[in-house]
Amino acid sequence: MEHRCVECGFRVKQLFVQYSPGNIRLMKCENCKSVADEYIECEFMIILIDLILHKPKVYRHLLYNVLHQETVHIEGVLWKSTFCFLVLDAYRSLLLKRNEEEWGSSVSFSSLVWICKEMFMDVVVGNFIFLCIFLLSARVFLNTFFGVSRCKDILFAILVSSYFKIFLIAMMVWEFPSSVIFIIDLFVLSSNIVALKVTTDSPMNRCIATCFCAHAAKLLASKVPNLRSLDY
């Protein structure tokens, strides 16, 4: 994953030239003649706002120019992102079950074991299905086969672009209806679509189909245990 121009996605050799500490000159892209990465001089809040607005150029800045293999230990970031993703997914599952079952002040040990089992099924099985359907959908809709290295880069982009799950932490402090969880899920879906388009340069409609199939399969997988419990 080389450095890229945030405007057109063209490969660039360097983003800036540093003459002295605090004195830099931003380089221009040879393709579009624009500043290759204007976000280098931007504050974090501006970058965060553009991420929320789903601007493709800020995703290029983050995925290609910040989380770069030469400057960041990509394997460590990948494992940490996966761990945070699974923890937030487990907390999402816990919030949904709490809203559905209205737990009392005390929970029996058997109920606690059952809750942990349900969370494990939702997180592990759900994300395994998500991964399989995502790779299958990418093969069908994007009409390409990714190698191991390329597949790792795309999955890393999906993990990083799922940052909207962090807003679930706010539910530790304030009470929100369960509909807020599904609104966050929609933001995660839309963010994944933009990240997939940026990393693959594929048409938007194909990226939408790929991510939608994966998220729909994961949602249906989480509903299967609830349907079984209704049968009993």
Side-chain angles (χ1 to χ4, degrees), residues 75-90:
E75 295 291 342
V77 176
L78 180 61
W79 283 110
K80 291 177 182 178
S81 301
T82 303
F83 176 76
C84 293
F85 181 89
L86 295 176
V87 169
L88 290 173
D89 247 14

Side-chain angles (χ1 to χ4, degrees), residues 3-232:
H3 291 302
R4 298 290 183 95
C5 170
V6 298
E7 295 291 342
C8 64
F10 193 75
R11 292 182 176 87
V12 293
K13 295 180 180 179
Q14 57 183 148
L15 301 173
F16 62 90
V17 176
Q18 184 173 2
Y19 297 107
S20 61
N23 183 17
I24 64 173
R25 179 171 68 89
L26 299 181
M27 304 299 292
K28 289 188 176 182
C29 174
E30 297 178 357
N31 182 49
C32 66
K33 307 305 179 183
S34 300
V35 174
D37 192 346
E38 59 187 11
Y39 290 103
I40 293 176
E41 294 184 331
C42 292
E43 296 181 356
F44 173 75
M45 286 304 301
I46 296 177
I47 296 174
L48 179 61
I49 291 172
D50 282 358
L51 280 172
I52 294 174
L53 293 176
H54 289 5
K55 292 186 177 181
K57 61 182 184 179
V58 75
Y59 281 82
R60 293 191 186 100
H61 164 76
L62 182 65
L63 296 174
Y64 288 107
N65 301 338
V66 175
L67 301 175
H68 193 266
Q69 292 183 358
E70 294 180 357
T71 58
V72 176
H73 187 252
I74 198 70
E75 295 291 342
V77 176
L78 180 61
W79 283 110
K80 291 177 182 178
S81 301
T82 303
F83 176 76
C84 293
F85 181 89
L86 295 176
V87 169
L88 290 173
D89 247 14
Y91 183 62
R92 173 191 176 277
S93 177
L94 182 64
L95 289 173
L96 286 175
K97 294 185 186 305
R98 185 186 66 180
N99 292 336
E100 291 174 358
E101 300 176 9
E102 297 182 353
W103 299 339
S105 57
S106 61
V107 181
S108 63
F109 178 76
S110 59
S111 299
L112 186 61
V113 172
W114 175 257
I115 292 168
C116 292
K117 178 183 176 182
E118 290 287 324
M119 287 176 56
F120 178 81
M121 293 294 293
D122 286 348
V123 174
V124 177
V125 177
N127 282 292
F128 177 75
I129 293 176
F130 172 83
L131 178 61
C132 293
I133 299 299
F134 177 81
L135 295 177
L136 179 62
S137 300
R139 182 71 179 93
V140 173
F141 293 112
L142 304 183
N143 196 25
T144 185
F145 181 78
F146 303 117
V148 176
S149 178
R150 184 60 174 157
C151 182
K152 182 178 67 175
D153 292 336
I154 293 175
L155 292 178
F156 178 67
I158 294 298
L159 288 173
V160 172
S161 62
S162 300
Y163 62 90
F164 268 101
K165 290 179 180 289
I166 296 176
F167 291 102
L168 291 170
I169 299 176
M171 294 187 173
M172 294 181 179
V173 182
W174 298 287
E175 289 289 339
F176 291 99
S178 57
S179 58
V180 174
I181 299 176
F182 296 105
I183 293 174
I184 293 176
D185 289 343
L186 288 176
F187 274 107
V188 172
L189 170 61
S190 59
S191 182
N192 289 164
I193 292 170
V194 178
L196 183 62
K197 177 175 174 54
V198 166
T199 52
T200 62
D201 293 324
S202 300
M204 179 61 77
N205 58 342
R206 294 180 179 272
C207 294
I208 292 174
T210 301
C211 293
F212 179 79
C213 289
H215 280 271
K218 181 179 177 180
L219 181 62
L220 290 175
S222 66
K223 296 297 181 182
V224 171
N226 295 333
L227 294 177
R228 290 178 178 176
S229 61
L230 289 176
D231 295 338
Y232 290 104

